[in-house]
Amino acid sequence: MPHQRFQSDTIKPRYSKGKISVFGINSVYPRTPWIAAWWAASFPGFGHMYIGKFMQGFVLVVWELIVNGKAHLNIGIALSFQGRFDEARAAVDQDWALLYVAVYAYSIWDSYRCAVEINKSHVLSEIEDAPVAPSEVSFFDVVILDKKHPWLGMVWSALSPGLGQLYGGSTIIGTFILAWWIFVAYKAMAIRSWLYSFLGDFAGATAVVDWQWFLFMPSIYVFAIYQAYTSVIENNTLFDIEQVRFLRVRAENLGQHEPADNGTVQMIATFDHSSFVEMAIHDLEKLGIPSRQIVALPVENLECNTHVIDSIHQVDGRSILDGAMMSAAIFAVLGAIYGFIWYWGPIIWGLIGLAGGFVLGLIIELIFHKGKLKFTSGKKTEVIIEVTCSADMQTRLVQIFKLRKANGYVIIPRAVGSI
């Protein structure tokens, strides 16, 4: 039967919450400014990409690869950490190094500044209650805002940087990271070094690697994993925000009230935020239940603990993996540097540094957040759907709730003459 449809993207907001397009998904998500500054210090451009300013991030990443390469800064850094200071000074091209300083400092400063401004814009978009179009269909792609697993984005980027971004719906970002990862790995001779390392030829693994290009890889690898994780969290949060607004606007437009019909029952079902919520409402309307008798209410959950890992349905955006991933990046770089002089070579020591740094950073975060966190977020009800219908429709409603993945339901008989 025909049912009323509610548009969520007909208003042009002054402060947008997010955008879904063929190029990917981006949102005005509140991000920690000092984390943005740290990623910019780790690799110019990463701080801007972390806060969603991808175009500036692309420019600064390309600049870093070109100017750092011409100045041989990575070689100078590696030799300095090994105590070979005279060789480090001789290796660095001072003309190119002087060009490097101003842009490097700008990258750190501007990423911090932009993170602060984006946080302000987020607050204003919440005040304005700006709508978001949850899908975009074009000749090239079908982009749908849906819920995904943050940890799955991490796994795909761990297998190959860029894949986690493609999984999260960021086509351009994923393509950029994947292309640069392949290019840098090729220039560094990393794949051959990897092969030699796992065959036990550590001398060959060290000899074949190009130091200058190889030392880009730890930062790129760790950031790709971290950014894939955080971007999926942000997209999941944007989905929740958009659906909460849709349900609230739906209730306001219908002017819902509880009818006083005799011989009816109330059925209440609980759901997580997902596309199944809207499918369930549509299915109920198709059964002939008036829209006013289908009340969908988003739940304001009171849990506020910090979690180590966010999941597809339980997202708080304050995972303590921030510190763990930053520590992993630092120790992966150090492991690769000293791997050039240690027996197992840069690949093995880089991976050891990655794993050891992650564990160390996580332990430090756990100490600072002792008693304030859980390993994972608990199961929460996010949407309640209340349906008033005739008693003979109960079985069909239960089938719909099961089909649309309701967490559970309850049937409340209504007494004759009750209101």
Side-chain angles (χ1 to χ4, degrees), residues 59-95:
V59 171
L60 290 169
V61 167
V62 173
W63 171 87
E64 164 71 10
L65 293 174
I66 293 174
V67 178
N68 189 315
K70 291 292 186 179
H72 304 126
L73 285 177
N74 281 350
I75 295 177
I77 292 170
L79 292 172
S80 297
F81 273 93
Q82 294 176 11
R84 298 155 63 179
F85 302 114
D86 292 335
E87 293 179 62
R89 281 193 292 269
V92 174
D93 185 314
Q94 295 184 2
D95 293 336

Side-chain angles (χ1 to χ4, degrees), residues 333-383:
V333 172
L334 293 176
I337 289 173
Y338 290 109
F340 284 104
I341 57 176
W342 292 345
Y343 176 64
W344 285 344
I347 295 289
I348 300 298
W349 280 111
L351 293 174
I352 292 174
L354 175 70
F358 180 86
V359 172
L360 177 62
L362 188 60
I363 291 173
I364 293 173
E365 289 277 14
L366 291 172
I367 291 173
F368 278 101
H369 291 85
K370 186 176 181 181
K372 301 179 182 179
L373 58 86
K374 298 179 180 179
F375 183 75
T376 59
S377 50
K379 191 70 173 178
K380 301 182 294 185
T381 293
E382 297 177 327
V383 178

Side-chain angles (χ1 to χ4, degrees), residues 4 7 42 115 126 145 152 169 181 211 281 286 290 320:
Q4 189 169 359
Q7 300 299 323
S42 172
E126 287 293 304
L145 184 63
L152 199 53
W181 174 255
W211 288 30
I281 293 172
K286 285 175 65 177
I320 64 170

Side-chain angles (χ1 to χ4, degrees), residues 111-289:
S111 61
Y112 185 97
R113 180 191 67 82
C114 290
V116 172
E117 294 303 319
I118 287 173
N119 289 350
K120 294 177 184 177
S121 183
H122 168 77
V123 173
L124 293 172
S125 70
E126 287 293 304
I127 294 172
E128 188 180 356
D129 196 20
V132 178
S135 65
E136 174 75 17
V137 180
S138 71
F139 176 79
F140 298 100
D141 202 359
V142 176
V143 184
I144 299 172
L145 184 63
D146 60 350
K147 304 293 282 287
K148 296 184 174 72
H149 296 278
W151 61 265
L152 199 53
M154 294 180 68
V155 170
W156 280 116
S157 273
L159 294 174
S160 181
L163 296 183
Q165 284 72 20
L166 293 176
Y167 165 76
S170 299
T171 306
I172 299 299
I173 313 307
T175 302
F176 179 83
I177 293 176
L178 183 60
W180 275 113
W181 174 255
I182 293 172
F183 178 77
V184 172
Y186 172 77
K187 296 289 287 186
M189 300 292 289
I191 303 303
R192 184 168 301 227
S193 178
W194 180 284
L195 177 62
Y196 287 167
S197 296
F198 283 89
L199 290 176
D201 184 3
F202 302 118
T206 302
V208 76
V209 170
D210 184 321
W211 288 30
Q212 174 61 37
W213 287 97
F214 185 80
L215 291 181
F216 286 128
M217 296 184 68
S219 295
I220 296 174
Y221 186 72
V222 177
F223 177 76
I225 296 173
Y226 175 78
Q227 200 274 336
Y229 175 82
T230 56
S231 66
V232 172
I233 288 176
E234 292 164 12
N235 293 346
N236 287 352
T237 303
L238 186 63
F239 181 99
D240 292 351
I241 291 172
E242 194 282 328
Q243 189 168 79
V244 166
R245 185 184 186 281
F246 166 79
L247 296 175
R248 186 174 63 250
V249 171
R250 176 184 182 276
E252 291 172 356
N253 288 349
L254 289 172
Q256 289 170 324
H257 67 279
E258 187 176 316
D261 298 336
N262 294 333
T264 62
V265 296
Q266 284 180 304
M267 296 188 67
I268 298 175
T270 62
F271 291 80
D272 297 320
H273 277 300
S274 72
S275 56
F276 288 121
V277 173
E278 295 168 49
M279 292 180 184
I281 293 172
H282 175 66
D283 291 343
L284 295 171
E285 291 174 339
K286 285 175 65 177
L287 283 180
I289 300 174

Side-chain angles (χ1 to χ4, degrees), residues 29-32 35 50 150 226 229-230 232-237 240 304-311 313-322 377 380:
Y29 189 86
R31 299 159 174 99
T32 308
I35 294 180
Y50 167 68
Y226 175 78
Y229 175 82
T230 56
V232 172
I233 288 176
E234 292 164 12
N235 293 346
N236 287 352
T237 303
D240 292 351
C304 58
N305 287 9
T306 301
H307 310 124
V308 178
I309 296 176
D310 290 307
S311 68
H313 295 303
Q314 290 78 47
V315 175
D316 64 359
R318 295 178 292 116
S319 167
I320 64 170
L321 291 184
D322 293 343
S377 50
K380 301 182 294 185

